[in-house]
Structures are given as C-alpha cells and as structure tokens.
Amino acid sequence: MTRHVAASRVATLLGEFDRSPAYRGLAEGLRVLITDGRLPTGVRLPSERDLTEALEVSRTTVARAYAELRDHGFLVSRQGSGSVAHLPASRSVGHGDHLLHLTEHPDGMADLTCAAPLPGPGLLAAYERAVAELPRHLGGPGYFPSGLPVLREAVAEAYAARGLPTDPDQVMVVPGAQAGVAIAARALLSPGDRAVVQSPTYPNAIATLVRSGARLVGVEVPREDDDTEAMTTTVRQVVPRAAYLIPDFHNPTGALLPDEGRARVAHALARTRTTAIVDESMAMLPLEGQRMPAPFAAHAADTISVGSVSKPFWGGLRIGWIRVPAARADQLFRARLSLDLGTAPLEQLVAADLLRDGADLLQHRREQLRASRDAALVALAEHLPDWRPTRPSGGLNLWCELPAALSTALVPRAERHGVLLASGPSFAPEGGLDRFVRIPFTQPAHVLTDAIARLAPAWRETLADPYPRPDRATPGLVA
Ligand SMILES: Cc1ncc(COP(=O)(O)O)c(C=O)c1O
C-alpha cells in the first residue's frame, strides 16, 4: 500500500505560511498538519521538486524544511518511498488506552468525556407502556436474535421516512450502535485487511476495528462539509476492505455530509468494492430543523448501516440496530450469534414506542441540545477566545482547535480544576490531533458554562508550563 498526497493538496492544506524565513514557516506548517493528522502518519509527501513548483518557493526552501522535519522526527526517508510523514513516539497514543472503566467522580466534577445525553422527561412513561405490552412476549424462552418484529418494523419505517425503503427483515436489533459496529467488523474484516476511517473518529470504533485485526488508515475530516477529495483519493490509493464513516453530525467534529458528498464517496467505494460501515448514531439529532440528507445506503446498496436510540433517547436502553444489505444477511447474522443471542424484550418495546411516538421527547432533546450548544459557544468565546470551536448544526459535540498542540497536557490540569476532558489524540486512529479537544454539549447549559469558565485557568496554566511532571488523570469512558 502506498499512500501519497499530491503537491497541490499540500499547498491547499498549508494555505498561507510565514515566509520569514520561508523554510521555517513551511516546516512549521507541515509539522502542524502532521500532528493534526491532516497529513496522516505513513503518507508519502510530494517530492521536493513537485512541492517547489506547487508552492512557488525555491528548491532550497523545501529541502531545508524537509531536513528540519526529518531532524525532529516528523519525516522519515524510506528507500524507494521518498519522505513519509511520521509522528515522534512521544506524540502518538496507544489505541484504547483512553477506554478504561467508568469511575465514580467526586461531587462537583464536570464530566466532559462522555457525549451521552441524560434521560429526558417521558422516558419512564415509555417504560410503563412497555411493561403493559410485555405479557404478549412472555410465552417463549425470550430469545429474539434478530429482534422483536414491532421494533424491526419501527426501524424500517424510520428508514423509509428518510427516503430509504427498508424491509423489516433487513433490520437486526443489537445492544447499541457500538455492538453493531463490532458485529459488522467481525463479519467483514480479517487480520491484515485495510479499513479507512475518518480522522478524528469515535474512539470506541477505533478500538473495535483494531481488535478485528484491521490496519486503520485515517482520512482527515475536512472543514468544508462537502469536501470529499481526501476520502475519495485515499480510497482509490488504499483499496480498503471496509470504510467506517459517520456522515450524520460526525463524532467529534459535527460535520454533516450532504447528499452530493455521499454520492461521491459511494461512487469511490463502489470502484474499489469497499463496504461502508455507516454509523448513524447521531442521525436523529438535527438541531436547526433542517431536512436530513438521505441515508448513505441510498447511494451504496452494500452499506451496513448502524443506528441506535442512545443519543436521541437514552444510552441506558442499550438498543441499536443494523440495517443489513440483502446479500450479507447470512454473514451478519452469523457474526451476531458469535457475540450474543439478542437483546432484552422490555427495552426493545421501549425503543419501539419511542421511535413511533417519541416525537415530543425528541423535540425536547433537540431544544435542550441547541440551548447547551449555544451556551457552550458563548462561554468559549468569553473565556477561551483563541480556541476555535466548530458550530455543528446537529449532534452532540463541539470540536475545538487550540492555538497550541497541548490538549494532552491540558487534561490533567483541567481535572484539577474540576473538569474531566478527553484529549484530541483519543479520537486519532493513527496518533496526532493534540491541537484539538472535544466539548460535548450533552449537559445542561449552566453546567457547561461553569465547566468552560473553569477550563480557562487550566489552559493558562498549561500554556505557562506545558510539560510538568507526569501526572495521571482519572481514567474515564470516552463515549
Ligand atoms: C459515533 C458513535 N457510535 C456509537 C456510539 C455508541 O452508541 P451506543 O450507545 O448505541 O452503543 C456512540 C456514542 O458515543 C457514538 O458517538
């Protein structure tokens, strides 16, 4: 596998850089792109000659910049492969070491590691209605490996309403979207297979895909929602077996891939016979009343779509689903049975109730998220004006670009100020991303406002002393 990036693309990613002197500005610009993962580790950079032409600088400028990066470990020269982007060991993060266990937090600690909403009003009433329904399902042993028909129908109807006709037989109920991704990975991937993932992406999916033995190839999530060039080019170069995508309010960036972008990515995947595993966990959370694009599977019939009630309703239900392409039904069903034998009927009844009749609850959820998002943005502008957060039109997260690559150094400082954070590298399939931090807006507005005010002194201390004695932050679940 040879991944490379065109000189014109590097020029676009770099934009303007400091030219006094030019070689140092160029080296700094490239270093930032490599630590951010926008030039992922393992990618071959353009030859000195090509970059010289694309940037309209002297050949010496590029040669000196490359030499400086090589000296600091950000480029390695490989025989026959030119100059390859690389992260020095201290800047990369082991997969899964952020995924430890849920811990009880001391009072007053604001937990911004977990992007999961609290249960809304009306959930208990849905449970009560489900309990009344339950006797109809108590006649047998209680195993429903594909799910209760009533829930499979509700999921199929929801897909049809979004423009993707779906037979209830295509729906398999699973214990949450994370389990859905694990089942899809188990069905599709063998050790050594390549899988393309967005960078950043959802940390627990990184762990699942790595566990399946796949070699992950990260593709930057562009700032413009409709820019699919990096994805289509990488798919063409890498010819992956699978691509794990979050097109609906991507976790953590919040990006929403529009219809045309979906069509372009689907076309690229079809040419390499790559199967998409599409995580639609956030698809029910548009916050601006906008029309959602059609599900990705409307463009690529072979797509394995994964969804869940965790984000719109409550993670405690542990109910999700897989929409199975007809040709893969047997493969996915077998993979599922190798992991578990079905989910609890009571929670399935609650989920079916919420999908069919939960419009008010969903509306309430969206209003609360919108208020929390806006409060977080106001607080960031006030307390941390040099952070650059995204302003997503849906989902649960702000992705903040920091003025320095110090998110890992910030985490223990923030904890001392009573805020638990997940650092950028937790979301990096191939390391890097230390210049970013995720702020979920799932907590009430006042909690976020207070937490962000507490982050300001933590950030000031981090800038003043970026690398103090090693300190262990409390491990947490990044969800
Ligand atoms: C993109 C994404 N996929 C999957 C999950 C896990 O969802 P579930 O609770 O349905 O397993 C999350 C939760 O944070 C998520 O953000």
Side-chain angles (χ1 to χ4, degrees):
M1 167 178 67
T2 318
R3 292 174 75 196
H4 52 270
V5 55
S8 56
R9 178 84 189 149
V10 175
T12 310
L13 289 172
L14 274 169
E16 282 306 311
F17 58 89
D18 183 4
R19 293 185 185 239
S20 52
Y23 84 89
R24 194 160 292 148
L26 175 58
E28 176 56 16
L30 290 171
R31 191 189 61 75
V32 168
L33 292 173
I34 293 167
T35 41
D36 284 0
R38 282 180 281 168
L39 287 176
T41 194
V43 153
R44 190 175 80 218
L45 296 198
S47 68
E48 290 177 10
R49 200 183 64 205
D50 287 354
L51 196 57
T52 299
E53 275 171 26
L55 297 178
E56 296 176 356
V57 291
S58 76
R59 178 83 178 255
T60 330
T61 297
V62 178
R64 286 189 71 180
Y66 274 19
E68 184 149 315
L69 289 169
R70 224 171 267 124
D71 286 349
H72 290 91
F74 290 96
L75 268 192
V76 288
S77 301
R78 291 200 191 128
Q79 194 71 36
S81 302
S83 300
V84 174
H86 182 257
L87 275 174
S90 63
R91 297 195 176 242
S92 50
V93 154
H95 295 298
D97 47 0
H98 54 282
L99 291 170
L100 306 169
H101 22 263
L102 256 188
T103 44
E104 291 291 327
H105 305 313
D107 280 353
M109 189 68 102
D111 186 351
L112 302 188
T113 55
C114 195
L118 309 176
L123 184 73
L124 196 57
Y127 262 98
E128 282 162 4
R129 289 190 294 273
V131 169
E133 274 291 300
L134 190 61
R136 294 170 49 165
H137 303 278
L138 292 180
Y143 289 93
F144 303 96
S146 293
L148 288 182
V150 62
L151 176 55
R152 300 169 78 195
E153 280 157 22
V155 173
E157 277 165 26
Y159 274 113
R162 281 187 62 201
L164 180 64
T166 299
D167 191 313
D169 283 349
Q170 284 179 269
V171 176
M172 188 195 291
V173 176
V174 297
Q178 171 65 10
V181 175
I183 291 167
R186 181 169 282 208
L188 278 185
L189 293 167
S190 305
D193 281 346
R194 289 184 289 267
V196 160
V197 298
Q198 291 154 305
S199 174
T201 194
Y202 175 55
N204 298 333
I206 298 178
T208 296
L209 295 166
V210 167
R211 260 304 148 92
S212 70
R215 285 189 285 151
L216 301 196
V217 179
V219 180
E220 54 149 329
V221 181
R223 274 141 226 252
E224 307 295 320
D225 280 356
D226 61 350
D227 176 2
T228 53
E229 189 188 320
M231 179 56 74
T232 53
T233 308
T234 306
V235 166
R236 198 169 58 238
Q237 292 177 1
V238 168
V239 191
R241 176 84 196 80
Y244 169 74
L245 307 172
I246 312 173
D248 309 299
F249 312 121
H250 176 263
N251 181 359
T253 66
L256 174 64
L257 187 61
D259 283 303
E260 315 79 66
R262 289 172 198 235
R264 282 196 297 274
V265 174
H267 183 68
L269 296 179
R271 290 179 64 161
T272 49
R273 301 167 70 89
T274 302
T275 300
I277 302 171
V278 172
D279 188 329
E280 301 177 328
S281 293
M282 249 72 71
M284 276 187 260
L285 294 175
L287 300 183
E288 310 287 3
Q290 71 269 47
R291 187 191 69 83
M292 285 296 286
F296 193 85
H299 300 280
D302 189 36
T303 300
I304 300 173
S305 312
V306 174
S308 155
V309 292
S310 292
K311 305 301 160 168
F313 297 108
W314 191 41
L317 285 159
R318 305 312 308 136
I319 294 288
W321 52 84
I322 304 180
R323 183 185 182 278
V324 179
R328 296 198 180 276
D330 195 46
Q331 191 185 15
L332 283 161
F333 192 64
R334 283 170 195 280
R336 192 265 158 75
L337 290 183
S338 73
L339 285 161
D340 82 331
L341 304 179
T343 61
L346 178 63
E347 272 72 17
Q348 293 191 64
L349 292 171
V350 178
D353 179 288
L354 292 170
L355 286 179
R356 288 226 160 107
D357 300 317
D360 287 350
L361 241 165
L362 198 51
Q363 195 48 33
H364 178 272
R365 162 79 69 229
R366 289 174 181 152
E367 278 161 19
Q368 177 252 320
L369 286 171
R370 199 164 45 232
S372 291
R373 175 198 63 185
D374 293 347
L377 285 168
V378 168
L380 282 167
E382 183 186 340
H383 298 289
L384 291 156
D386 53 357
W387 286 22
R388 289 209 306 145
T390 50
R391 188 185 184 282
S393 60
L396 305 171
N397 298 297
L398 305 178
W399 184 238
C400 303
E401 184 172 350
L402 313 180
L406 290 174
S407 98
T408 310
L410 169 65
V411 168
R413 288 312 199 332
E415 185 176 345
R416 259 176 262 141
H417 285 269
V419 183
L420 296 178
L421 276 182
S423 70
S426 304
F427 301 84
E430 297 174 301
L433 300 181
D434 207 19
R435 210 150 56 85
F436 295 86
V437 77
R438 184 186 74 169
I439 308 265
F441 48 85
T442 45
Q443 310 242 17
H446 70 274
V447 176
L448 287 171
T449 304
D450 176 58
I452 290 167
R454 283 192 263 162
L455 283 181
W459 178 242
R460 280 197 298 276
E461 285 165 23
T462 307
L463 284 175
D465 184 12
Y467 303 108
R469 264 181 309 110
D471 192 2
R472 262 185 73 76
T474 308
L477 173 86
V478 180

